[in-house]
Short mmCIF file of all heavy atoms in Angstrom, two decimals:
data_model
loop_
_atom_site.label_atom_id
_atom_site.label_comp_id
_atom_site.label_asym_id
_atom_site.label_seq_id
_atom_site.Cartn_x
_atom_site.Cartn_y
_atom_site.Cartn_z
N THR A 142 137.79 -3.62 187.97
CA THR A 142 137.54 -3.15 186.60
C THR A 142 136.05 -3.21 186.26
O THR A 142 135.50 -2.23 185.72
CB THR A 142 138.41 -3.95 185.60
OG1 THR A 142 139.78 -3.81 185.99
CG2 THR A 142 138.24 -3.45 184.18
N GLY A 166 133.24 -11.48 176.19
CA GLY A 166 134.25 -12.01 177.13
C GLY A 166 133.55 -12.58 178.34
O GLY A 166 132.56 -12.02 178.81
N ARG A 167 134.08 -13.72 178.83
CA ARG A 167 133.46 -14.38 179.99
C ARG A 167 134.52 -14.75 181.01
O ARG A 167 134.43 -15.80 181.66
CB ARG A 167 132.68 -15.60 179.53
CG ARG A 167 133.50 -16.58 178.72
CD ARG A 167 132.72 -17.84 178.37
NE ARG A 167 133.42 -18.60 177.36
CZ ARG A 167 133.00 -19.75 176.87
NH1 ARG A 167 131.86 -20.26 177.28
NH2 ARG A 167 133.69 -20.40 175.96
N SER A 168 135.58 -13.92 181.13
CA SER A 168 136.64 -14.23 182.10
C SER A 168 136.13 -13.97 183.52
O SER A 168 135.20 -13.21 183.74
CB SER A 168 137.87 -13.36 181.84
OG SER A 168 137.61 -12.03 182.21
N VAL A 171 136.88 -10.12 184.36
CA VAL A 171 136.12 -9.00 183.80
C VAL A 171 134.73 -9.43 183.29
O VAL A 171 133.70 -8.96 183.78
CB VAL A 171 136.88 -8.30 182.64
CG1 VAL A 171 136.16 -7.00 182.26
CG2 VAL A 171 138.32 -8.02 182.98
N HIS A 190 131.31 -14.83 173.55
CA HIS A 190 132.66 -15.36 173.78
C HIS A 190 133.19 -15.95 172.49
O HIS A 190 132.60 -15.74 171.42
CB HIS A 190 132.63 -16.39 174.92
CG HIS A 190 131.50 -17.34 174.83
ND1 HIS A 190 131.49 -18.39 173.93
CD2 HIS A 190 130.30 -17.36 175.46
CE1 HIS A 190 130.36 -19.02 174.04
NE2 HIS A 190 129.60 -18.42 174.94
N SER A 191 134.27 -16.71 172.57
CA SER A 191 134.94 -17.14 171.34
C SER A 191 134.11 -18.14 170.53
O SER A 191 134.38 -18.35 169.36
CB SER A 191 136.31 -17.75 171.66
OG SER A 191 136.15 -18.94 172.39
N ALA A 209 135.55 -6.98 176.46
CA ALA A 209 136.63 -7.45 177.35
C ALA A 209 137.16 -8.74 176.77
O ALA A 209 136.95 -9.82 177.28
CB ALA A 209 136.09 -7.64 178.77
N VAL A 210 137.83 -8.60 175.64
CA VAL A 210 138.15 -9.75 174.79
C VAL A 210 139.64 -10.06 174.77
O VAL A 210 140.05 -11.22 174.74
CB VAL A 210 137.72 -9.47 173.32
CG1 VAL A 210 137.61 -10.77 172.55
CG2 VAL A 210 136.45 -8.68 173.23
N GLY A 211 140.46 -9.02 174.73
CA GLY A 211 141.90 -9.25 174.59
C GLY A 211 142.31 -9.45 173.14
O GLY A 211 143.36 -10.02 172.88
N VAL A 212 141.46 -9.02 172.20
CA VAL A 212 141.83 -9.07 170.76
C VAL A 212 141.78 -7.64 170.24
O VAL A 212 140.71 -7.01 170.20
CB VAL A 212 140.86 -9.96 169.96
CG1 VAL A 212 141.26 -9.97 168.48
CG2 VAL A 212 140.83 -11.38 170.51
N VAL A 230 137.29 -2.39 177.38
CA VAL A 230 138.11 -2.77 178.53
C VAL A 230 139.52 -3.20 178.09
O VAL A 230 140.46 -3.15 178.86
CB VAL A 230 137.42 -3.92 179.33
CG1 VAL A 230 138.24 -4.32 180.54
CG2 VAL A 230 136.02 -3.51 179.76
N GLY A 231 139.67 -3.58 176.84
CA GLY A 231 140.93 -4.14 176.35
C GLY A 231 142.10 -3.19 176.47
O GLY A 231 141.94 -1.97 176.36
N ILE A 232 143.26 -3.77 176.71
CA ILE A 232 144.50 -2.97 176.72
C ILE A 232 145.55 -3.73 175.91
O ILE A 232 145.84 -4.89 176.22
CB ILE A 232 145.04 -2.76 178.15
CG1 ILE A 232 144.05 -1.98 179.00
CG2 ILE A 232 146.38 -2.02 178.10
CD1 ILE A 232 144.54 -1.71 180.41
N GLY A 263 140.68 2.12 181.95
CA GLY A 263 141.94 1.91 182.69
C GLY A 263 142.04 2.71 183.98
O GLY A 263 142.26 2.13 185.05
N THR A 266 140.19 1.48 187.28
CA THR A 266 140.49 0.27 188.05
C THR A 266 141.11 0.62 189.41
O THR A 266 140.67 0.10 190.45
CB THR A 266 141.40 -0.66 187.22
OG1 THR A 266 140.68 -1.01 186.03
CG2 THR A 266 141.74 -1.94 187.96
P1 NAP B 1 140.74 -13.30 179.04
O1 NAP B 1 140.77 -13.95 180.38
O2 NAP B 1 141.74 -13.70 178.01
O3 NAP B 1 139.26 -13.48 178.45
C1 NAP B 1 138.96 -13.10 177.14
C2 NAP B 1 137.53 -13.48 176.80
O4 NAP B 1 137.28 -13.06 175.48
C3 NAP B 1 137.26 -14.97 176.87
O5 NAP B 1 136.02 -15.21 177.49
C4 NAP B 1 137.25 -15.39 175.40
O6 NAP B 1 136.31 -16.43 175.11
C5 NAP B 1 136.75 -14.14 174.72
N1 NAP B 1 137.27 -14.08 173.35
C6 NAP B 1 138.54 -14.23 172.92
N2 NAP B 1 138.61 -14.10 171.59
C7 NAP B 1 137.35 -13.86 171.16
C8 NAP B 1 136.77 -13.62 169.90
N3 NAP B 1 137.51 -13.61 168.77
N4 NAP B 1 135.44 -13.39 169.83
C9 NAP B 1 134.69 -13.38 170.94
N5 NAP B 1 135.18 -13.60 172.18
C10 NAP B 1 136.50 -13.83 172.29
O7 NAP B 1 140.90 -11.71 179.19
P2 NAP B 1 140.44 -10.71 180.38
O8 NAP B 1 141.32 -10.91 181.56
O9 NAP B 1 138.98 -10.76 180.56
O10 NAP B 1 140.86 -9.32 179.72
C11 NAP B 1 140.26 -8.86 178.51
C12 NAP B 1 140.98 -7.60 178.07
O11 NAP B 1 140.81 -6.61 179.07
C13 NAP B 1 142.47 -7.75 177.88
O12 NAP B 1 142.88 -6.92 176.80
C14 NAP B 1 143.06 -7.21 179.17
O13 NAP B 1 144.36 -6.68 179.01
C15 NAP B 1 142.07 -6.12 179.48
N6 NAP B 1 141.97 -5.76 180.91
C16 NAP B 1 141.96 -4.43 181.19
C17 NAP B 1 141.81 -4.01 182.50
C18 NAP B 1 141.76 -2.54 182.78
O14 NAP B 1 142.08 -2.11 183.88
N7 NAP B 1 141.34 -1.72 181.82
C19 NAP B 1 141.68 -4.93 183.53
C20 NAP B 1 141.65 -6.29 183.20
C21 NAP B 1 141.79 -6.69 181.88
P3 NAP B 1 136.44 -17.94 175.67
O15 NAP B 1 135.98 -17.87 177.09
O16 NAP B 1 135.52 -18.69 174.79
O17 NAP B 1 137.88 -18.31 175.53
#
Side-chain angles (χ1 to χ4, degrees):
T142 303
R167 55 176 168 179
S168 71
V171 190
H190 44 76
S191 66
V210 199
V212 179
V230 181
I232 298 182
T266 299

